[in-house]
Amino acid sequence: MQGYEEPCGLGEGVLESLLPCRKRGRVREHRGVSATVSPLEQLSEALRTELGAHAVTELARLSGGASRETWSFRADDRPLILQRQRKGDIRDMSVEARVVQAAFNAGVPVPELIANGSGDIGLAFMILSHVEGETIARKILRDEQFAGARSGLVAQSAHALAALHSIDATTITGLPSIDQVQQYRETLDNLNVALGQAHPTFELAFRWLERNRPTSTRTALVHGDFRLGNLMVGPDGLRAVLDWELAHIGDPIEDLGWLCVRAWRFGATQPVAGLGDYDTLIAEYEKASGLKVDREVVRWWEVLGTLKWGIMCMIQTSSHVLGMSRSHELAAIGRRVCENEYDLFLALDGKW
Amino acid sequence: MAMPHDVPTAAQLIESVREWLEKDVLTSTTGRVQFHSRVAINVLAMVERELAMGGQQALDHAARLAILGMKDDAELATAIRNGDLDDRFQEVVDLVRASVLDKLAVANPSYALPTSND
């Protein structure tokens, strides 16, 4: 059932702006048909005014959900990306804009923040430079044109992570700081009640996480969704780290563990993003950050990341089962949670 | 349990729809509809496997729960959460994993095989 993986990346283009949990199997909107002519012209005019441009052309929607949209356009021939937020988005895009700017200043490869604010363009919006490249994991992992990029991506990712973790998170206002074990514990409890089921595997994982919790020695800015799919890659390697909407304050090793979650290997065998081994990731991160990494802490975050992804899959299937979005694709995801359970047992066994 | 229904069986009915999707729908569609046809084929194949294996799997699952003195998954989940099985943790892991492998055998039999030793 490899085909199920495709909605994660199929034709999504750049700068996806949805929660990772909504990526698998979400209904994709076709380009250009989502807006009638009039709102499109209004948006075009608002962008032209915001940027002080003579002309805005080729405005086209790339992706979007109920609360966020991504558009591409040209302002006086310069290719740009718009991300905008609508009512109902629980996150505040102005925080994300501050994070992207801070990352840019710290030398992390990111799109350049051209403008941000709120008003005619959207409840909140960001205009970013367009970075050319590929985000679809399966292409990056398999296409010949990325063979050269693949050999250096783990080291480049480690360096980007070290750079973003060096940012003084206290300078960015509005960043959330949440205990993720508690957050997902509550989410699972709510899902179990709503769906009328119990999950012994996930309880084992929570119990293990509780009993093996590392004493966190560092807090830093954490990207929160650092993996293939959110990295813009060219034949020359990593070009930009995208999708900062889940950025928060936490233990930076979370980003390393998440990058190793088995789902993000997209069927490839190498543990780090399907691209490389733990030794390379850790050695390169230690070299770039000057800090020692405890492998058991990476493993703890990998177990939590695997558990999180399983719970996210439950959320998706619940939207079908509870009637919010009827779809046999979403229904089938519920039966794929056992793949995630299988991964959890591998991680718990230390077969990582 | 005796059923009043005629031939075809439920499994054969589902099989017939799956074959139609494979032969006619998949070949005459493209893009999103074709992708969703493929998903539908996988879903029906999954149900066919559950109909074939589900009876034995239910017995095996009940036997595993009985080893731990539990009547169902809900009771087991609560016991794990409360730490009541901490001293049998590895035994519980092995038993729950056996049930997960049964679930995979229905949901996606190819998942566990190629990289089970990685």
Side-chain angles (χ1 to χ4, degrees):
Chain A
M1 293 206 287
Q2 293 302 317
Y4 278 72
E5 305 291 347
E6 295 304 326
C8 293
L10 186 76
E12 292 296 344
V14 290
L15 288 165
E16 294 167 288
S17 58
L18 292 174
L19 269 170
C21 63
R22 290 192 220 138
K23 278 180 180 165
R24 188 181 244 181
R26 73 167 182 258
V27 176
R28 199 156 44 88
E29 302 206 21
H30 295 285
R31 292 180 185 200
V33 299
S34 53
T36 56
V37 174
S38 177
L40 194 69
E41 281 176 351
Q42 278 174 17
L43 177 58
S44 186
E45 180 56 24
L47 287 168
R48 202 188 62 74
T49 307
E50 173 69 30
L51 296 166
H54 293 293
V56 163
T57 54
E58 296 176 39
L59 179 60
R61 181 147 156 197
L62 297 179
S63 69
S67 56
R68 284 189 164 209
E69 295 171 358
T70 300
W71 297 73
S72 70
F73 66 101
R74 285 175 177 271
D76 296 341
D77 283 338
R78 184 180 184 187
L80 296 172
I81 294 291
L82 163 71
Q83 290 198 294
R84 65 172 180 167
Q85 187 178 13
R86 290 171 157 182
K87 271 186 200 161
D89 192 339
I90 52 167
R91 291 171 302 274
D92 179 357
M93 196 178 268
S94 61
V95 178
E96 191 180 343
R98 288 195 283 275
V99 173
V100 170
Q101 186 62 59
F104 184 84
N105 294 344
V108 182
V110 286
E112 188 183 350
L113 182 68
I114 308 293
N116 72 290
S118 61
D120 290 345
I121 296 174
L123 191 67
F125 70 88
M126 292 191 292
I127 297 169
L128 301 156
S129 65
H130 172 87
V131 180
E132 193 64 42
E134 184 59 75
T135 61
I136 298 172
R138 287 178 182 279
K139 290 191 179 175
I140 295 165
L141 285 167
R142 288 170 181 84
D143 283 7
E144 183 53 36
Q145 61 164 317
F146 298 111
R150 282 194 287 274
S151 62
L153 259 178
V154 170
Q156 289 171 339
S157 296
H159 301 163
L161 285 170
L164 80 92
H165 293 160
S166 74
I167 294 167
D168 181 2
T170 59
T171 62
I172 305 166
T173 53
L175 277 177
S177 174
I178 300 159
D179 183 319
Q180 299 210 15
V181 172
Q182 192 188 336
Q183 182 191 358
Y184 281 89
R185 172 78 262 174
E186 288 168 11
T187 305
L188 179 63
D189 286 346
N190 293 337
L191 283 165
N192 282 341
V193 170
L195 299 173
Q197 68 171 36
H199 239 293
T201 304
F202 290 169
E203 295 302 336
L204 282 168
F206 271 119
R207 191 73 190 144
W208 185 89
L209 288 165
E210 237 172 74
R211 297 169 77 199
N212 293 278
R213 189 166 197 146
T215 44
S216 186
T217 48
R218 265 173 92 199
T219 57
L221 172 69
V222 177
H223 179 281
D225 197 10
F226 193 102
R227 60 175 175 86
L228 290 187
N230 292 333
L231 302 178
M232 186 63 82
V233 175
D236 52 334
L238 178 63
R239 289 184 177 170
V241 180
L242 310 176
D243 285 357
W244 294 76
E245 71 198 77
L246 297 178
H248 58 274
I249 293 173
D251 183 341
I253 304 305
E254 176 190 337
D255 279 333
L256 277 69
W258 185 243
L259 188 60
C260 301
V261 166
R262 203 156 175 262
W264 306 138
R265 302 172 197 173
F266 296 93
T269 50
Q270 291 274 29
V272 184
L275 287 162
D277 55 29
Y278 291 99
D279 287 346
T280 307
L281 174 70
I282 290 170
E284 293 292 335
Y285 184 85
E286 287 181 340
K287 195 171 74 184
S289 67
L291 297 162
K292 288 298 285 179
V293 173
D294 182 340
R295 282 168 173 254
E296 284 304 307
V297 179
V298 178
R299 181 183 165 210
W300 189 88
W301 282 104
E302 184 179 327
V303 170
L304 176 55
T306 308
L307 174 62
K308 279 165 61 178
W309 178 238
I311 292 171
M312 288 173 187
C313 290
M314 285 179 71
I315 292 171
Q316 293 199 67
T317 213
S318 73
S319 71
H320 165 81
V321 174
L322 303 177
M324 281 92 81
S325 177
R326 298 289 291 176
S327 147
H328 71 300
E329 190 185 358
L330 291 173
I333 288 171
R335 290 297 190 98
R336 297 195 70 185
V337 172
C338 62
E339 295 177 10
N340 187 269
E341 294 179 72
Y342 178 84
D343 293 353
L344 260 178
F345 283 121
L346 288 181
L348 282 172
D349 281 353
K351 285 183 183 169
W352 56 308
Chain B
M1 201 190 312
M3 301 285 269
H5 307 295
D6 300 318
V7 171
T9 63
Q12 287 168 333
L13 288 171
I14 290 168
E15 181 185 39
S16 71
V17 178
R18 177 176 55 80
E19 287 174 352
W20 169 73
L21 285 166
E22 284 170 347
K23 270 186 265 170
D24 291 355
V25 181
L26 207 55
T27 51
S28 60
T29 52
T30 57
R32 188 153 189 83
V33 177
Q34 187 184 56
F35 172 74
H36 276 150
S37 306
R38 197 166 279 129
V39 174
I41 288 163
N42 286 332
V43 167
L44 295 182
M46 194 188 300
V47 177
E48 289 177 66
R49 287 190 292 270
E50 182 168 327
L51 288 169
M53 294 188 272
Q56 186 58 46
Q57 289 188 339
L59 295 173
D60 294 344
H61 187 61
R64 286 189 285 264
L65 286 166
I67 291 170
L68 297 168
M70 303 291 157
K71 70 174 193 300
D72 56 24
D73 274 352
E75 201 173 278
L76 174 58
T78 302
I80 294 166
R81 183 174 185 164
N82 293 340
D84 299 342
L85 293 165
D86 281 358
D87 54 347
R88 299 173 74 182
F89 196 79
Q90 191 55 49
E91 185 188 3
V92 179
V93 164
D94 291 339
L95 289 165
V96 175
R97 182 180 7 223
S99 288
V100 168
L101 289 172
D102 275 357
K103 291 199 279 186
L104 268 181
V106 164
N108 187 358
S110 68
Y111 191 81
L113 296 173
T115 51
S116 59
N117 294 318
D118 66 358

